[in-house]
Amino acid sequence: MQITHLDHETDFDGWRDQARDLLSKGVRPEDTVWRVGKAETDLFDRLTGKVDAIPPVKQITVPRSFLSNAQMAICHRDPARFDLLYRLLWRLQATPGLLANAVDNDVYRLNALTKAIRRDRHKMHAFVRFREVIGEDEETFIAWFEPEHRITELAAPFFMRRFANMRWSILTPDRCAHWDKKSLTFTDGATASQAPQEDELEDLWRGYYRSIFNPARLKIKAMTSEMPKKYWKNLPEADLIEPLIASARALETQMVEAAPTPVKRAASYEFADLDTAPADAIKALRREAASCARCDHACHATQTVFGEGPTNASLMIVGEQPGDLEDIAGRPFVGPAGEIFDAALADAGLMRDEIYLTNAVKHFRFTPKGKTRLHQPPRVAHIDHCRWWLKAERALVQPRLTLAMGATAIRALHGKPLKVAEARRGFECFDGGDALASLHPAAVLRQTTQANRDACYRSLVEDLSRAKQHAPAA
Ligand code: URA
């Protein structure tokens, strides 16, 4: 009997190398025992005799799909998976077309294991919820998740691509994945108590879930199959599910009876087409922001002026705060500074509907003077409070480059003061994203001579052109 040791439960490379070696020596599947852990001689090892080998297999060939399925199947908790895979590898040498025989016991079992792993990975991609942890250096997002199988390594590359600009860790009982914006690493499993319990992002998830819940289309069976109850305990929105189901009937009647709400649009701008999942999330975010009262700005302004544009934009442009007209229209840059901005955009060869446009502060700050409202720049505390929204917008849009227009936007994005002249050469955002800076379009309006106005305008166009060059449209 041959005892073969693997380093850990999902040691695919170890399994592949040793399986090749066993096969080349002609060791039969029934003469092989697979063990996970250190190679220690125990009673069983001592009792086993010499391997009764048959003539060795000279050249090992397997279909490519076998190796990719084996890599998945190894993540399954079935203790017999290593034997199954070696047996299949052995049989494939004599029957190369074996995998096409779906009713063969071994093939059937392999297909069942890979199907379970695919499903588990899909659930992990859908139900991991990060919680924000403010550390000494930089915030990190941590999630606790309990997959059915040992799939952390298999599922982690998805999160690396999706949340490339965030530092995150996903803790699971078997294995933990960590991304520091440069490399993906893995450590041993953790316990639920090592993960943070709650944070502000949870309200966002709840708001999002509430907003997409349509009582008229409620199908409880389909819903619990897509979001099985075992995942509920780690989902912030889960505590809404039962009350929403309970009130669905009443809500449906209300929806049928309610008159349609007229849609109000600002004069000459249309919202850009937003794409699927992140767009839904950004709509939910916009709704949440509409009732934001995090600072004293909110109670004086008419409304929150949220960002707009495609959620797959490669360029994000950030202004200071809405002005008088933006406050009334509910859209960024539609007043006098917006006119300069639009002209400069066009001169730089950019179009509004290809950028994500937002402000560092989402409410208009002013002092009343007679019938007019005089613009007041936001204080640092306002910028800091409002960064929460900017952070959430950035996490969803993940722009390749951000252009900060003026000192407030630079302060919001950099997290600390930086001169406009220095920031124009490039700087790093609080979340590690790349940014450039320009003058604010309103600076053009403040110049008292035509020559200075022209110079400011040219500088704005130049910076917008550089931004376009570094972040061509998606
Ligand atoms: N100035 C800004 O910074 N943003 C606006 O939306 C309008 C004027």
Side-chain angles (χ1 to χ4, degrees):
M1 183 64 69
Q2 171 86 31
I3 298 181
T4 308
H5 290 269
L6 297 173
D7 283 349
H8 53 87
E9 294 283 358
T10 53
D11 183 9
F12 174 72
D13 292 341
W15 175 86
R16 188 193 48 209
D17 294 348
Q18 304 207 56
R20 258 197 215 132
D21 190 45
L22 292 172
L23 196 60
S24 67
K25 290 181 184 144
V27 180
R28 287 186 302 233
E30 55 273 31
D31 294 330
T32 314
V33 174
W34 295 87
R35 291 267 177 84
V36 174
K38 270 205 321 245
E40 277 168 9
T41 315
D42 62 13
L43 182 64
F44 186 75
D45 295 72
R46 275 184 264 123
L47 288 177
T48 57
K50 278 176 78 186
V51 175
D52 179 17
I54 59 162
V57 174
K58 287 199 187 77
Q59 182 158 12
I60 300 169
T61 48
V62 283
R64 200 184 289 264
S65 67
F66 173 71
L67 285 181
S68 56
N69 283 346
Q71 195 159 10
M72 290 215 165
I74 261 180
C75 303
H76 201 282
R77 291 199 195 272
D78 181 351
R81 64 200 183 284
F82 302 120
D83 304 278
L84 169 75
L85 293 174
Y86 186 57
R87 197 162 54 247
L88 277 164
L89 181 65
W90 176 273
R91 294 181 59 203
L92 277 165
Q93 305 315 301
T95 320
L98 175 65
L99 296 183
N101 183 6
V103 293
D104 176 274
N105 267 349
D106 288 340
V107 175
Y108 181 83
R109 185 69 194 141
L110 175 66
N111 290 343
L113 297 193
T114 52
K115 191 171 167 204
I117 294 301
R118 280 204 184 88
R119 182 177 157 82
D120 203 25
R121 183 176 59 175
H122 170 73
K123 297 292 175 210
M124 183 160 174
H125 290 167
F127 297 137
V128 158
R129 299 285 183 268
F130 287 103
R131 292 178 163 128
E132 190 177 4
V133 179
I134 315 280
E136 278 184 6
D137 312 327
E138 195 184 338
E139 77 262 285
T140 302
F141 293 83
I142 299 186
W144 168 251
F145 192 75
E146 292 165 65
E148 207 167 319
H149 301 287
R150 299 182 182 95
I151 55 162
T152 310
E153 274 132 324
L154 209 60
F158 164 86
F159 295 100
M160 183 183 77
R161 290 189 296 275
R162 183 74 185 80
F163 302 110
N165 289 334
M166 281 165 44
R167 279 164 61 95
W168 55 256
S169 291
I170 301 174
L171 314 185
T172 85
D174 304 299
R175 208 92 173 109
C176 300
H178 312 275
W179 171 249
D180 62 1
K181 298 195 251 182
K182 290 194 184 79
S183 54
L184 186 61
T185 50
F186 297 92
T187 54
D188 289 345
T191 57
S193 61
Q194 287 170 273
Q197 300 308 309
E198 190 152 329
D199 80 348
E200 288 170 320
L201 284 181
E202 314 242 312
D203 286 341
L204 179 59
W205 275 111
R206 287 194 195 99
Y208 171 59
Y209 190 77
R210 221 182 274 120
S211 74
I212 59 166
F213 181 83
N214 182 348
R217 304 187 68 190
L218 178 64
K219 289 195 182 77
I220 297 175
K221 221 164 143 202
M223 195 175 122
T224 45
S225 137
E226 179 51 28
M227 195 196 270
K229 283 200 169 180
K230 66 177 177 223
Y231 297 111
W232 289 19
K233 64 177 184 290
N234 294 317
L235 296 176
E237 67 269 34
D239 53 2
L240 290 178
I241 299 174
E242 273 165 344
L244 282 174
I245 289 176
S247 61
R249 190 67 53 215
L251 278 171
E252 187 184 350
T253 317
Q254 241 178 49
M255 279 168 70
V256 171
E257 284 170 0
T261 322
V263 179
K264 231 168 66 192
R265 287 206 188 282
S268 55
Y269 300 98
E270 291 290 321
F271 283 125
D273 256 352
L274 302 173
D275 59 13
T276 53
D280 284 341
I282 215 138
K283 282 182 198 159
L285 199 63
R286 171 194 293 277
R287 266 192 290 271
E288 286 282 314
S291 55
C292 177
R294 285 168 173 255
C295 66
D296 55 330
H297 261 219
C299 52
H300 303 297
T302 312
Q303 59 188 312
T304 305
V305 178
F306 205 69
E308 64 183 39
T311 45
N312 63 352
S314 46
L315 177 62
M316 174 181 274
I317 299 186
V318 183
E320 180 195 78
Q321 63 168 348
D324 186 46
L325 293 180
E326 286 82 10
D327 173 70
I328 294 161
R331 307 207 35 231
F333 287 99
V334 293
E339 276 176 32
I340 302 287
F341 174 66
D342 278 349
L345 264 189
D347 283 351
L350 280 160
M351 291 193 297
R352 254 201 195 216
D353 62 7
E354 68 189 7
I355 55 172
Y356 187 88
L357 180 62
T358 191
N359 281 304
V361 173
K362 309 286 194 256
H363 281 117
F364 178 38
R365 182 162 185 257
F366 62 91
T367 38
K369 188 163 181 225
K371 285 190 179 161
T372 54
R373 305 188 295 173
L374 294 179
H375 166 273
Q376 291 283 301
R379 295 214 185 97
V380 170
H382 298 131
I383 300 172
D384 289 344
H385 271 102
C386 225
R387 190 179 290 111
W388 194 92
W389 295 111
L390 188 57
K391 224 183 255 182
E393 285 176 296
R394 293 181 57 73
L396 289 169
V397 177
Q398 298 188 15
R400 193 180 304 170
L401 181 80
T402 304
L403 180 74
M405 298 197 298
T408 300
I410 296 169
R411 180 76 166 81
L413 286 160
H414 191 48
K416 44 191 186 244
L418 184 67
K419 294 212 162 59
V420 179
E422 206 178 325
R424 283 185 76 211
R425 292 195 287 274
F427 68 96
E428 188 180 320
C429 299
F430 53 77
D431 53 10
D434 292 328
L436 290 174
S438 71
L439 291 173
H440 191 282
V444 178
L445 297 171
R446 283 197 298 270
Q447 304 307 313
T448 50
T449 66
Q450 187 61 45
N452 286 352
R453 274 195 291 278
D454 289 348
C456 275
Y457 181 78
R458 273 199 307 275
S459 148
L460 179 61
V461 173
E462 196 182 304
D463 290 335
L464 283 163
S465 307
R466 278 194 311 136
K468 175 185 157 84
Q469 223 178 353
H470 286 91

